[in-house]
Amino acid sequence: MKRFELLEHTADTGLIAYGHNLAEAFANAAYGLFSIMAELDGVREVESQMVAVSAEDTESLLFNWLNELIYVFELERRLLKRFDIIEFDERWLKAECWGEKYNSSRHQLKSGVKSATYHMLKIDKDQVRVIFDV
Amino acid sequence: MSPWSGPLQKVDDYRWRIPRSYKSGMRVDGLVFAGEEMITVIKEEQSLEQVANVAFLPGIVNYSLAMPDIHWGYGFPIGGVAAMRLSDGVVSPGGVGFDINCGVRLLRTSLTEAEVRPQIKELVEALYRNVPSGLGSEGKIRLRRGEIDEVLVKGSRWAVEKGYGRHDDLGTTEEEGEMMDAEPEHVSRRAKERGIPQLGTLGSGNHFLEVAVIDQIQDSVIARGMGISQTGQIMLLVHCGSRGLGHQVADDYIGVMVNAMKKYNIDLPDRQLACAPIDSAEGKNYLAAMRCAANYAWANRQCITHWVRESFCQVLKKTEEEAGLELIYDVCHNIAKIEEHEVDGKRVGLCVHRKGATRAFPVGHPDVPSKYAGIGQPVLIPGDMGRYSYVLVGTEQAMKESFGSTCHGAGRVKSRAAAKRELRGENVLRELESRGITVRTGSLKGLAEEASQAYKDVESVVGVAHNAGISRIVARTKPIGVIKG
């Protein structure tokens, strides 16, 4: 099963992420986000951290989840590639996120992502769509 | 995605109207500044729908405006201008964007291309070395504990007090590089955490440093007023914004506004337009935080300016005085500001959102620096890295029609993905070099995304702004050296 597909948007980049259920689509959206930011092949799953977000509804949950990960990347300089969703409902998500610290000698960064946006953001049964400001 | 098929009425050769009857809920018409050919391209995407959506915002007056570099954004179009009454209007973080006070500054020099070109490689190398750039880059400035709040309040002045640049740089910076009523207590801890290590960095994406040469002077009197005296004169351009701090402020407050909309009973066609009344706690707090981010961006460009001057003087073995390195002006193009404008014959207080649009105040406006009182506010329009950039001035017509605003750049026509698919960074680099442009970049892929082919020709964009009268062309520059993050 395809995890995500990139969407073209004139100034920006977006994606549609798929899953067997919504939680998996959220995990794949996160994977898609990091694959926009960096070449993930060389990233090892050697350390993990817990990320938890809450929101008023599922749209905001996706917005908050992806922006939380952008924050983690920027502040802790950690590239993440595996997202084990531990708890999930429309307004709450907790995940164990695996990856490693960015190392310029081994990792290749691709595009900077400023933020996820609400523009065209869409939640379906088992897929999500989001546009990033890059 | 199919082309936009809404109603568009031609007003004249440079103006198009979207009537408010298009969608129930539009409070004003849309007005787009564009030429005939341009509008055909614009209609291929959904930016005009965004112009119509912005017209839903409570308190909007006159028009939902789009500048000629309009392209598809999120919520607001890029190139969008909208002004809301202070009395009953809203402020929308989406109408400013994530990169709060992304902007441009232009420095003049007294040197000519003949003097600089022989050393352009060393100069570009020195600029690349001295100005931290690229994705995830961190700066060399170390703030003491709590000092970030001073940066957020003082903006450029903080930088000048620390020895980055000169006091007279402040006079030729929009808002003097220091927006009043900036309140750091409304900026989240997270935003500050992101901002602290990134102060004094260029960033990535479309941000750049450029060594340029004046290649045309359209209005020599006004040009002389800015210290631009001849073709062949070397200029330096800096384009960057508020980095992660601004992005986080935008994120934080879009979240706040999404929740506030229910409270204030505001219903909009796109959640990215989320807003709150200007005089509500949410609105005031956002503006207080946004001004902090704007000040951060000015401090950032001020620090970078200092290293640009140092690099230039080192490589060309000149003192700053000999090099004539003066700041012509610094404009911001993502901002919301409280300004007074004439609406229906009366002076009214408005919150003017400029999302990818530049302030363009005319001769005699009190906010134009005294140095330029007789010529109007300089407007700096960077093009793509292979063609031109422009210097313009603000006009009376802009005050009448566009809340003293004009375009901000070339405007994309090709998505980043399409640009990367069709163009290889190595080839883009080679092509630029073959045209006499020395390039230094941390990312060849990023270079492909920013290739000339991905942008509208800035000449046509500026031409519309000039012909419509919302700003006036003064001079044109072309790049000879480019640093991209």
Side-chain angles (χ1 to χ4, degrees), chain B residues 195-412:
Chain B
I196 289 167
Q198 294 179 349
L199 186 61
T201 64
L202 193 64
S204 60
N206 61 354
H207 296 149
F208 66 80
L209 298 178
E210 190 179 295
V211 183
V213 50
I214 296 283
D215 88 320
Q216 269 182 20
I217 297 179
Q218 270 84 347
D219 190 319
S220 57
V221 175
I222 294 182
R224 259 200 306 279
M226 299 180 189
I228 300 171
S229 53
Q230 55 172 320
T231 55
Q233 189 178 347
I234 293 289
M235 301 278 143
L236 300 161
L237 267 161
V238 180
H239 177 217
C240 63
S242 52
R243 312 285 289 112
L245 184 135
H247 311 162
Q248 187 69 43
V249 167
D251 273 2
D252 291 342
Y253 280 94
I254 287 168
V256 168
M257 300 298 184
V258 164
N259 295 330
M261 294 232 292
K262 288 174 211 137
K263 181 165 138 196
Y264 298 111
N265 247 326
I266 301 169
D267 192 25
L268 296 172
D270 183 344
R271 199 183 272 207
Q272 187 65 37
L273 294 172
C275 60
I278 298 162
D279 65 357
S280 66
E282 292 87 349
K284 283 182 191 157
N285 295 349
Y286 168 67
L287 283 169
M290 180 213 70
R291 292 174 186 126
C292 289
N295 289 342
Y296 177 96
W298 273 310
N300 196 32
R301 290 200 286 278
Q302 185 63 37
C303 295
I304 289 173
T305 299
H306 175 66
W307 298 318
V308 165
R309 280 183 172 133
E310 271 187 351
S311 311
F312 193 86
C313 292
Q314 257 165 33
V315 172
L316 291 148
K317 302 192 176 57
K318 302 269 179 202
T319 64
E320 256 187 49
E321 291 67 37
E322 287 166 348
L325 275 162
E326 277 162 42
L327 177 61
I328 292 182
Y329 204 57
D330 174 309
V331 293
C332 89
H333 51 228
N334 284 348
I335 198 85
K337 286 190 177 184
I338 309 298
E339 295 172 359
E340 217 176 74
H341 290 273
E342 203 169 297
V343 180
D344 299 328
K346 279 190 228 117
R347 302 293 295 173
V348 186
L350 300 172
C351 178
V352 182
H353 296 72
R354 296 192 181 95
K355 163 78 171 290
T358 314
R359 197 181 74 175
F361 283 175
V363 168
H365 193 287
D367 291 344
V368 175
S370 53
K371 193 175 172 184
Y372 302 130
I375 58 176
Q377 176 216 307
V379 170
L380 314 171
I381 309 296
D384 62 76
M385 60 190 172
R387 284 180 280 197
Y388 323 105
S389 295
Y390 278 87
V391 183
L392 296 85
V393 278
T395 59
E396 204 50 60
Q397 186 66 25
M399 289 312 280
K400 286 193 191 121
E401 228 185 344
S402 57
F403 306 106
S405 314
T406 188
C407 57
H408 88 303
R412 287 194 86 88

Side-chain angles (χ1 to χ4, degrees), chain A residues 26 48-55 60-69 71-72 76 80 83-89 91-97, chain B residues 189-190:
Chain A
F26 268 61
S48 78
Q49 72 183 93
M50 285 294 181
V51 172
V53 288
S54 62
S60 293
L61 189 69
L62 181 65
F63 178 87
N64 291 352
W65 160 239
L66 297 171
N67 283 339
E68 183 74 24
L69 295 172
Y71 166 78
V72 167
E76 301 178 22
L80 300 170
F83 306 86
D84 298 336
I85 309 255
I86 296 164
E87 293 169 23
F88 186 84
D89 67 26
R91 302 201 285 174
W92 169 254
L93 182 164
K94 188 173 171 187
E96 187 172 15
C97 308
Chain B
R189 181 182 53 78
R190 287 196 155 197

Side-chain angles (χ1 to χ4, degrees), chain A residues 8-12 37 56-57 59-60 63 67-68 70-71 74-75 77 108-112 114-120 133-134, chain B residues 45 50 71-74 98 135-136 138 190 193-194 198 244 247 251 254 258-259 262 270-272 412 414-416 418 420-421 449:
Chain A
E8 289 192 20
H9 188 281
T10 319
D12 302 302
M37 297 198 289
E56 297 266 311
D57 59 27
E59 280 79 12
S60 293
F63 178 87
N67 283 339
E68 183 74 24
I70 292 169
Y71 166 78
E74 227 180 78
L75 204 73
R77 302 171 81 75
Q108 197 199 338
L109 295 178
K110 285 154 72 180
S111 297
K114 290 176 189 155
S115 179
T117 76
Y118 278 109
H119 172 57
M120 289 172 65
D133 185 5
V134 293
Chain B
E45 47 175 33
Q50 297 183 317
H71 58 278
W72 200 22
Y74 33 87
F98 288 94
L135 192 52
E138 296 200 339
R190 287 196 155 197
E193 279 172 356
R194 285 173 77 171
Q198 294 179 349
H247 311 162
D251 273 2
I254 287 168
V258 164
N259 295 330
K262 288 174 211 137
D270 183 344
R271 199 183 272 207
Q272 187 65 37
R412 287 194 86 88
K414 236 187 243 301
S415 73
R416 292 173 196 274
K420 266 190 291 198
R421 204 170 45 238
E449 290 181 4

Side-chain angles (χ1 to χ4, degrees), chain B residues 5-286:
Chain B
S5 57
L8 199 59
Q9 300 161 350
K10 187 168 178 176
V11 180
D12 62 21
D13 286 347
Y14 305 108
R15 288 169 182 80
W16 304 77
R17 183 187 293 121
I18 304 171
R20 88 185 74 166
S21 57
Y22 169 46
K23 282 169 109 177
S24 108
M26 284 176 70
R27 294 164 193 265
V28 293
D29 291 346
L31 181 67
V32 182
F33 293 95
E36 184 106 41
E37 279 172 34
M38 219 177 245
I39 206 83
T40 317
V41 178
I42 291 169
K43 280 170 81 169
E44 282 167 21
E45 47 175 33
Q46 299 300 308
S47 57
L48 297 174
E49 189 68 17
Q50 297 183 317
V51 175
N53 289 343
V54 168
F56 280 66
L57 289 166
I60 186 167
V61 297
N62 293 4
Y63 294 103
S64 165
L65 293 159
M67 302 298 118
D69 49 340
I70 178 180
H71 58 278
W72 200 22
Y74 33 87
F76 272 63
I78 315 291
V81 174
M84 285 71 172
R85 279 183 300 267
L86 295 184
S87 50
D88 62 341
V90 293
V91 58
S92 169
V96 172
F98 288 94
D99 198 359
I100 297 167
N101 189 6
C102 182
V104 192
R105 57 171 55 189
L106 177 68
L107 289 110
R108 73 176 291 283
T109 77
S110 303
L111 274 62
T112 62
E113 185 176 2
E115 293 168 280
V116 174
R117 204 179 261 286
Q119 300 186 72
I120 188 68
K121 286 211 158 49
E122 288 111 289
L123 178 57
V124 165
E125 199 54 47
L127 289 167
Y128 185 76
R129 202 171 49 238
N130 294 336
V131 181
S133 69
L135 192 52
S137 55
E138 296 200 339
K140 44 196 174 186
I141 295 169
R142 296 288 168 263
L143 298 173
R144 61 188 155 68
R145 202 180 168 79
E147 195 174 6
I148 185 70
D149 285 2
E150 286 176 41
V151 176
L152 300 184
V153 170
K154 295 178 174 176
S156 289
R157 184 159 62 92
W158 173 85
V160 171
E161 283 172 2
K162 290 278 159 187
Y164 299 106
R166 313 200 300 240
H167 192 263
D168 57 3
D169 294 340
L170 304 180
T172 45
T173 302
E174 188 168 330
E175 301 286 333
E176 302 194 356
E178 178 179 4
M179 258 181 128
M180 296 295 134
D181 303 314
E183 296 166 17
E185 60 271 33
H186 295 300
V187 176
S188 67
R189 181 182 53 78
R190 287 196 155 197
K192 292 176 191 175
E193 279 172 356
R194 285 173 77 171
I196 289 167
Q198 294 179 349
L199 186 61
T201 64
L202 193 64
S204 60
N206 61 354
H207 296 149
F208 66 80
L209 298 178
E210 190 179 295
V211 183
V213 50
I214 296 283
D215 88 320
Q216 269 182 20
I217 297 179
Q218 270 84 347
D219 190 319
S220 57
V221 175
I222 294 182
R224 259 200 306 279
M226 299 180 189
I228 300 171
S229 53
Q230 55 172 320
T231 55
Q233 189 178 347
I234 293 289
M235 301 278 143
L236 300 161
L237 267 161
V238 180
H239 177 217
C240 63
S242 52
R243 312 285 289 112
L245 184 135
H247 311 162
Q248 187 69 43
V249 167
D251 273 2
D252 291 342
Y253 280 94
I254 287 168
V256 168
M257 300 298 184
V258 164
N259 295 330
M261 294 232 292
K262 288 174 211 137
K263 181 165 138 196
Y264 298 111
N265 247 326
I266 301 169
D267 192 25
L268 296 172
D270 183 344
R271 199 183 272 207
Q272 187 65 37
L273 294 172
C275 60
I278 298 162
D279 65 357
S280 66
E282 292 87 349
K284 283 182 191 157
N285 295 349
Y286 168 67

